[in-house]
Every structure is written in structure tokens, then in C-alpha cells.
Amino acid sequence: MAVKNMLGNTLDQLGEAIVSGRYLPGASLPPEPMLCEEYGISRTVVREAVKSLVAKGLLITGPKLGTRVLPSDDWNWFDPDVVAWQSRAGLTREFLRDLQELRRVIEPAGVRLAAERATAADLADIETAYAGMKHAIEQGGDYVAHDLRFHQGLLRACHNRMVVQMSKALGALLRTSFEISTSRPDGPASSLPLHRAVLDAVIARDPKKAERASLLLIDGAQDDIEQVLASRRKLPSLSMPALPLKGSRVPASRKD
């Protein structure tokens, strides 16, 4: 196995062990020789994995401190690996609540700016994403990828460099929300008209209407997530590609 693959596998295993609570906040990681034996790797791989976990906010190291696990408040929740580890460990209500609140703060404001600043190229890209969502509902296919492109396209269209950077960082978090909210059988079809309402308001250069439509979209997704959680249905795994839709000719009307 290549060193790069060994490092990636070790990073995943250690990251999941921390996020799942095998190593609790404040606890020390086992000594290097023990980790080498457990994972069948060299000290070099252990050290590189630890270095990556420090960068992601999961660990702290120091001369008299050793290597200790940090509380989850210190973890970099914009890091796709951290989000994936949490999804495999189990998505908590607190995690999903934080995510939806973040969306409610960022997206409507970004969409409001997009209604003022979107270029023709921006609008064409968002239209393409919307068409991909519609096609996936009607003919089958990868709905979530187009859904993500739609929302990130809206944030890019606000032409604020910091929001654009945040939209890239939010990618894994947004996918988490979409995977869950669209896991309801009628979720994608019922959400499509609300996506259209957001896009139409942006095209019409109506910031207030665009912001309101965005809030309706996000609140609808929250309703879907609550229903999925209440059903105790198994949540989708973010370690696997999103399941494609089978296709339906049923007309659409509601959220995401």
C-alpha cells in the first residue's frame, strides 16, 4: 500500500475514533509505538496523521502536554473530513440544528446580494443547476449534486469574496443537509417550486423577495429533516455518493 493511502486510511481511522468518542476530550492519544502496532504503520505515518488532526482542530500537542483530544467546539466544522467523520459516527440533532441555523444566517443574505449583483453567466449557471435538479426528478439521476451546485451558485453570485470562500467551505455541510432533506420520497419534487421561486426573484432583481424565498426554502428543509429524524430512518452516509433518484412524472410543489 502506498504511503499516501496509508496516511489517508490512518487519518480516517483516528479521526473517526476521536469524533465517535473512543478518545474523549482531554484524553491523551496512545503512545506512538502502540498506534504503530494497532494500525500497522510507521512512526512517520502516525506523526503525519497527528499533524493533520492538529490542523483540523481535533488534537493539540505540546512538550509537557503530549497529544490530547480537544473538545468538539474546537474542531474545524468547515473541514469536509470532520463532517464525514461525524456523519459516520452519527449525525446528532445538535449538529443538524447548528447547520440549519448557519444556513439561515448565511444563505438569505447571500441570495439578497445575488439579486443585486448576479451576472448573466451566474444566472446561466444557476439555471443549469436547476434544470439538472428537474431532470433528476423527472427522469432519474443525481439530484443532490445539482442541488449543491444551485445553492453554491447563488452564493457565488453575490460577488462577495468572503461569502464565496465560505460557500466552498460549506460544501460538505450543505451536502449533509441535502442528503437528509431529500431522503424523504417526496422531498425533491416538493422542493423544486421553492428553488424556482428563489431563482425567479434573483432574475427579477428583487432582493427582498429573493431573501424571503430563500428563507422559505431553508425552513422547508428543516421540516423535512425533522420528519426524517422523527421517523428514525437510517440517515444517509456521506462516505458514499448520493443515491440517484429513480425518476417520476409527479408534479412538484415545496421545499429543500
Side-chain angles (χ1 to χ4, degrees):
M1 182 186 295
V3 173
K4 186 175 181 180
N5 289 338
M6 293 181 90
L7 174 59
N9 289 337
T10 303
L11 180 61
D12 271 343
Q13 291 179 66
L14 280 174
E16 283 189 54
I18 293 169
V19 172
S20 67
R22 179 180 170 192
Y23 302 120
L24 296 173
S28 296
L29 279 191
E32 281 185 4
M34 290 182 64
L35 291 173
C36 290
E37 184 177 352
E38 180 177 354
Y39 295 104
I41 53 177
S42 68
R43 289 194 177 207
T44 299
V45 172
V46 170
R47 289 168 185 168
E48 287 300 315
V50 167
K51 190 184 298 183
S52 293
L53 291 169
V54 169
K56 295 173 188 292
L58 274 67
L59 296 175
I60 187 171
T61 61
K64 296 184 179 180
L65 186 66
T67 303
R68 295 186 181 275
V69 177
L70 288 170
S72 60
D73 286 350
D74 292 318
W75 301 350
N76 180 5
W77 288 108
F78 290 141
D79 188 297
D81 287 337
V82 178
V83 176
W85 296 332
Q86 180 64 70
S87 77
R88 292 198 285 265
L91 296 172
T92 65
R93 287 181 179 273
E94 181 184 34
F95 176 87
L96 295 171
R97 181 206 66 202
D98 289 347
L99 170 55
Q100 287 303 104
E101 287 178 354
L102 179 65
R103 286 189 66 191
R104 222 174 184 280
V105 169
I106 300 298
E107 284 194 62
V111 168
R112 185 184 182 98
L113 288 174
E116 299 172 348
R117 302 175 180 177
T119 65
D122 292 329
L123 295 175
D125 188 52
I126 302 166
E127 282 279 13
T128 299
Y130 176 83
M133 294 163 63
K134 187 171 185 291
H135 182 272
I137 291 169
E138 295 176 348
Q139 305 293 334
D142 187 347
Y143 177 89
V144 172
H146 295 295
D147 198 1
L148 184 59
R149 181 178 176 183
F150 181 93
H151 288 270
Q152 290 188 313
L154 285 169
L155 292 179
R156 281 196 302 273
C158 79
H159 292 280
N160 177 296
R161 286 174 293 182
M162 294 180 186
V163 173
V164 171
Q165 286 297 315
M166 183 170 284
S167 76
K168 294 177 183 177
L170 281 171
L173 294 170
L174 287 173
R175 184 191 162 197
T176 303
S177 173
F178 301 158
E179 284 273 5
I180 297 169
S181 63
T182 59
S183 66
R184 288 187 61 203
D186 63 338
S190 62
S191 76
L192 199 62
L194 289 189
H195 283 83
R196 187 71 244 179
V198 173
L199 179 52
D200 286 344
V202 171
I203 292 171
R205 305 293 180 186
D206 190 331
K208 289 184 179 179
K209 190 173 181 180
E211 184 177 35
R212 287 196 301 270
S214 178
L215 283 168
L216 284 174
L217 193 56
I218 294 167
D219 289 344
Q222 180 61 35
D223 291 342
D224 282 340
I225 288 171
E226 289 296 332
Q227 289 190 42
V228 170
L229 291 174
S231 72
R232 300 188 181 280
R233 185 185 309 151
K234 184 178 179 182
L235 297 177
S237 171
L238 300 189
S239 61
M240 301 294 290
L243 291 175
L245 299 184
K246 293 181 180 179
S248 171
R249 292 289 182 177
V250 178
S253 64
R254 218 183 46 112
K255 26 186 179 313
D256 179 8

